[in-house]
Amino acid sequence: MTDIVRLEGVTKVYQDGKVAVPALRGIDLVLQKGEFVAVAGPSGSGKTTLLNIIGGLDKPTQGSVYLEEKRLSAMTRGELSRLRLNRIGFIFQSYNLIPVLTAFENAEFVLLLQKQPAEERRQRVGNLLEEVGLSGLENRFPRDMSGGQQQRVAIARSIAPEPALVLADEPTANVDSQTASELLDLMEKLNREKKVTFLFSTHDPAVMERSRRLIVLKDGRIAKDTLK
Amino acid sequence: MLIIKLAWRNLWRNKRRTIITISSICFGLVLALVFIGLGDGTYGTMIDSAARLGSGHITLEHPDYRSSLLTRLTLQSTGEVTKYFKEINEIEGWAPRILGQAMLSTSYGSVGAAFIGVDPEREKENTLFIDKITEGSYLEHAEGRGVLIGKKMAARLNVSIGSKMVITANNLHGEIAAELLRVVGIFETGSEMIDGYICQITLKRAQTLLAMKETEITQLAIFITNQRATERIIEHLKISLSDANEVAVLSWREVMPELASYVELDGTSNYIFQIIIFIIIAAGILNTILMSVMERQFEFGVLLCLGMKPHNLLFLILTESMLLGLLGVTVGTVMGLLCNQYFTVKGFDMTLFTGENLDISGIALDPILYSDLYPDHLVITVVLVFLMTVLVGIYPAIKATRSEPIETLKKGK
Ligand SMILES: Nc1ncnc2c1ncn2[C@@H]1O[C@H](COP(=O)(O)OP(=O)(O)OP(=O)(O)O)[C@@H](O)[C@H]1O
Ligand SMILES: [Mg+2]
């Protein structure tokens, strides 16, 4: 198996006024292609910070992050933006979708930024929406969809460009447990069938259950890393 | 394409705000176009009336006449010059004239006066004096002894239609000459100077009085269909007349410098007023766009996270303000033109504001102003307003690109 993400001695210290807030205190971590990983831990343990650093949205104070063997800290803002566009999918907790675009257009958005040809976009997005169970809702706007449906669109959007890694910060935090379980079914299926690598953070024990690898953070350190 | 679609839809997210903003652009543009249109119309009317009461839109005379006002500096080649007029369509008519200073006397008294010797047939088509006649009629017989005087002068000399008077002047030989005249008409223009000082006699009578040859005149007044064409026709005439010596081609601007500077000055103050309106409206647009940008920081963060480039975000906001401007300007232009059309036909009654007649540098104005928006003024104003909305969008656009994607995930919690 190939390494997709590698973190070496990553620390992150936020400066909150005059107080230094350590969020990560030395993380060594390797993610491999096709993994289905959950990051758990109490509030403030550093889950979001970890995901942001892996996604190139934030820079570590110390240590290195490699994505597909490329060192993120060596990249410019533009290169990071291109990396996110082509290699990383993002799913956020809420308000994920662009409100003025339909389900189809939202899922298509990243492909448009990549300047994929129209036919290619139409086919890929059509298939994906079917796969996430949204056939017939292509022309709905986010405000006319349930939270679960919106997250399905977000999932479709995140995997549309076939990224190396999908980062999801508490993707199920805003939906009921039934919907959460269905979203997990979906991500699991995509992981199994399309070999999409997922890294998601969660508070929910039921969600942790479903992961195949569980990383528990505590005070900015990896307290437990179990492979099931 | 994506950006235009996004921008267009973003615009309609807050319909009320967008409509208010478009209305304010529209309002400003309509106001500006109406003001400019009325200004253009008023200046046009003023210039036209002044030209038709005075020496025409274009005046031909001896090159040294204006500086010395000597009666002997005459134009000799009228016939030769006027044949060039046929090739210029805009020339509506022309009239030969003799100008001079004289004394008018009756048994009641004498007053100094300026006389204009005219060819009644030619004048009838162009001059405004005919419309200003309150008693009697215009000069009729080219050979006659008729005189047309202003109401003020008539009062001063205590004359009425049919009264006799004597005109006395120095002729070209320096001798004092006199002619007997009979009042045929009395005019009232509203101008103190014209009504109290100017009289019209026939060209023939003036030539006899001054002992001039039949071919000699002081000036040739040219009337054109649209005063805006003045400069262009002058260029044309100057080229045609470059061989003819002793002919100067002057525009109304040179003949009536006070009027020219008044039009210019008043036009400038109009523009300043409009710029103030624009600035107020620009502040409103800036506020709208800035607000909509601030509200969407989170969304911009998502876009940046997904890999949208900051400069694309800049274009997005600029496109939004551009579309806003385009809509405002389109609707504003249509409405502005409609308003102008209304004021072109119906006019704008100034007596509502002034309560009395208008008088600008001695020229009595019709209190109803008619709009006549010049096409180039329309284009300049529309382009200016559009550029302003785009310009105003720049700051919020830059602000939007400063959104850090990282903030997104934080606020997402
Ligand atoms: N911009 C910031 N400035 C200062 N401190 C910050 C900043 N962002 C995060 N922190 C701090 O870093 C630590 C880790 O935060 P982080 O958001 O990664 O935790 P988390 O595990 O995602 O928590 P939660 O479960 O509540 O989402 C916390 O103590 C937090 O207060
Ligand atoms: Mg978090």
Side-chain angles (χ1 to χ4, degrees):
Chain A
M1 285 223 263
T2 13
D3 291 358
I4 284 188
V5 177
R6 195 168 77 246
L7 276 72
E8 292 173 353
V10 168
T11 67
K12 177 72 188 180
V13 181
Y14 286 111
Q15 207 62 41
D16 194 0
K18 282 188 180 156
V19 198
V21 185
L24 297 176
R25 307 175 187 242
I27 304 279
D28 294 297
L29 178 68
V30 176
L31 296 186
Q32 283 170 335
K33 184 164 168 52
E35 282 201 294
F36 196 63
V37 189
V39 182
S43 190
S45 58
K47 303 181 293 290
T48 300
T49 308
L50 180 67
L51 261 57
N52 285 348
I53 284 179
I54 294 175
L57 297 173
D58 210 347
K59 286 194 187 302
T61 311
Q62 274 175 349
S64 319
V65 182
Y66 297 87
L67 197 113
E68 296 185 312
E69 297 305 329
K70 285 196 276 299
R71 191 160 169 238
L72 298 195
S73 56
M75 292 187 175
T76 63
R77 226 181 125 164
E79 284 171 330
L80 280 174
S81 154
R82 206 164 320 129
L83 180 88
R84 284 199 298 273
L85 177 62
N86 295 317
R87 304 309 298 151
I88 306 175
F90 285 93
I91 303 167
F92 310 109
Q93 182 181 327
S94 55
Y95 313 114
N96 247 318
L97 303 180
I98 301 160
V100 294
L101 297 183
T102 63
F104 187 95
E105 290 164 338
N106 261 290
E108 187 192 25
F109 187 76
V110 179
L111 300 179
L112 268 167
L113 290 182
Q114 288 181 333
K115 302 198 162 58
Q116 300 273 4
E119 184 53 24
E120 168 80 17
R121 292 197 311 259
R122 208 182 51 76
Q123 245 170 20
R124 252 207 249 179
V125 175
N127 290 341
L128 270 174
L129 285 181
E130 200 180 313
E131 213 149 353
V132 302
L134 290 179
S135 313
L137 300 188
E138 289 87 350
N139 295 324
R140 287 260 181 111
F141 283 94
R143 61 170 179 275
D144 301 324
M145 287 190 279
S146 71
Q149 288 169 334
Q150 291 186 31
Q151 283 307 61
R152 282 165 191 270
V153 178
I155 291 171
R157 179 183 65 193
S158 73
I159 61 170
E162 296 173 352
L165 172 70
V166 173
L167 295 172
D169 195 14
E170 309 200 31
T172 60
N174 273 8
V175 296
D176 59 63
S177 57
Q178 169 70 25
T179 311
S181 160
E182 284 166 11
L183 287 176
L184 239 73
D185 289 341
L186 174 62
M187 293 199 282
E188 226 170 14
K189 184 183 90 171
L190 293 168
N191 172 257
R192 205 171 49 239
E193 293 173 1
K194 299 191 159 241
K195 303 280 173 281
V196 185
T197 313
F198 278 96
L199 176 63
F200 51 91
S201 68
T202 184
H203 274 300
D204 184 353
V207 175
M208 297 175 210
E209 271 305 287
R210 305 284 296 271
S211 67
R212 271 186 279 112
R213 179 180 170 186
L214 179 64
I215 296 170
V216 180
L217 287 185
K218 206 176 165 203
D219 292 335
R221 277 189 250 271
I222 296 181
K224 227 162 55 173
D225 186 350
T226 42
L227 212 60
K228 292 177 203 164
Chain B
M1 250 343 275
L2 171 67
I3 296 222
I4 294 175
K5 181 162 80 182
L6 268 177
W8 178 256
R9 291 196 194 162
N10 279 334
L11 219 54
W12 296 107
R13 269 159 91 166
N14 196 330
K15 281 201 190 71
R16 200 174 52 162
R17 187 161 68 194
T18 300
I19 287 173
I20 290 174
T21 312
I22 290 175
S23 313
S24 80
I25 298 174
C26 203
F27 174 75
L29 188 57
V30 169
L31 213 60
L33 289 179
V34 166
F35 268 106
I36 296 174
L38 286 175
D40 286 352
T42 309
Y43 302 141
T45 314
M46 271 170 67
I47 292 164
D48 212 54
S49 324
R52 284 173 197 281
L53 274 178
S55 326
H57 300 95
I58 300 170
T59 310
L60 302 191
E61 59 188 27
H62 189 283
D64 297 327
Y65 176 74
R66 197 137 294 270
S67 54
S68 62
L69 294 179
L70 289 174
T71 319
R72 64 179 162 74
L73 296 173
T74 55
L75 272 183
Q76 312 268 358
S77 42
T78 316
E80 206 179 301
V81 165
T82 52
K83 71 172 189 271
Y84 291 108
F85 296 172
K86 287 197 186 66
E87 61 195 56
I88 303 172
N89 284 333
E90 285 100 333
I91 294 185
E92 182 186 285
W94 50 272
R97 290 177 180 170
I98 290 171
L99 308 182
Q101 307 290 322
M103 179 92 90
L104 291 181
S105 324
T106 62
S107 52
Y108 190 77
S110 322
V111 295
F115 67 87
I116 309 177
V118 297
D119 174 349
E121 279 313 304
R122 292 218 151 267
E123 295 286 337
K124 271 179 189 164
E125 295 159 22
N126 306 297
T127 185
L128 275 184
F129 270 104
I130 296 179
D131 303 335
K132 307 288 182 189
I133 291 175
T134 52
E135 281 175 67
S137 63
Y138 196 66
L139 302 171
E140 302 245 316
H141 309 291
E143 314 276 342
R145 293 184 173 273
V147 62
L148 206 62
I149 58 172
K151 196 173 177 151
K152 292 252 157 56
M153 190 185 287
R156 233 174 270 165
L157 290 173
N158 196 20
V159 292
S160 53
I161 303 296
S163 303
K164 286 182 199 156
M165 58 169 76
V166 172
I167 184 166
T168 316
N170 280 319
N171 70 14
L172 290 192
H173 311 301
E175 304 154 354
I176 293 185
E179 287 287 323
L180 182 69
L181 300 175
R182 189 184 295 275
V183 177
V184 295
I186 294 173
F187 59 80
E188 185 179 14
T189 62
S191 155
E192 189 83 26
M193 209 288 277
I194 297 176
D195 295 350
Y197 189 63
I198 295 206
C199 68
Q200 283 200 3
I201 57 178
T202 66
L203 199 67
K204 284 269 156 52
R205 194 58 42 207
Q207 281 166 339
T208 315
L209 178 67
L210 296 177
M212 276 183 177
K213 292 201 282 287
E214 229 174 280
T215 53
E216 277 182 309
I217 57 170
T218 316
Q219 70 177 195
L220 197 64
I222 300 173
F223 303 95
I224 61 181
T225 45
N226 179 0
Q227 52 87 12
R228 295 208 82 204
T230 304
E231 304 302 326
R232 187 159 42 82
I233 295 171
I234 285 179
E235 284 313 304
H236 191 138
L237 280 178
K238 276 186 177 162
I239 294 166
S240 304
L241 297 177
S242 55
D243 295 340
N245 50 5
E246 313 259 271
V247 181
V249 185
L250 304 177
S251 88
W252 62 267
R253 282 173 210 281
E254 293 161 279
V255 177
M256 300 178 282
E258 338 69 59
L259 180 62
S261 59
Y262 171 80
V263 166
E264 205 136 290
L265 205 73
D266 201 55
T268 313
S269 64
N270 252 353
Y271 271 109
I272 291 170
F273 174 63
Q274 276 141 30
I275 286 168
I276 292 171
I277 297 181
F278 285 172
I279 289 173
I280 293 170
I281 289 163
I285 303 170
L286 178 66
N287 181 49
T288 305
I289 301 176
L290 209 54
M291 228 154 77
S292 87
V293 165
M294 298 313 255
E295 281 170 8
R296 288 184 288 162
Q297 288 294 321
F298 178 79
E299 203 175 310
F300 296 151
V302 172
L303 294 177
L304 290 170
C305 269
L306 293 177
M308 192 164 191
K309 304 240 167 40
H311 74 254
N312 281 333
L313 212 51
L314 186 96
F315 280 137
L316 177 66
I317 309 301
L318 281 182
T319 309
E320 284 176 21
S321 45
M322 212 129 80
L323 287 174
L324 209 56
L326 217 56
L327 281 173
V329 161
T330 311
V331 180
T333 306
V334 171
M335 285 173 55
L337 287 178
L338 285 177
C339 287
N340 261 296
Q341 189 54 37
Y342 176 84
F343 289 129
T344 304
V345 178
K346 298 268 180 184
F348 180 81
D349 195 346
M350 277 303 276
T351 53
L352 291 176
F353 298 96
T354 59
E356 51 195 270
N357 285 359
L358 286 175
D359 181 327
I360 294 169
S361 45
I363 297 157
L365 268 191
D366 189 343
I368 298 177
L369 308 183
Y370 290 93
S371 181
D372 176 21
L373 184 61
Y374 297 164
D376 46 348
H377 287 172
L378 169 70
V379 172
I380 291 173
T381 313
V382 166
V383 168
L384 224 67
V385 171
F386 178 67
L387 282 184
M388 185 187 75
T389 52
V390 175
L391 222 65
V392 155
I394 291 177
Y395 171 67
I398 291 174
K399 196 141 185 87
T401 63
R402 300 255 167 86
S403 323
E404 279 295 329
I406 173 77
E407 299 305 322
T408 304
L409 298 175
K410 298 235 173 75
K411 284 185 220 148
K413 276 196 279 201

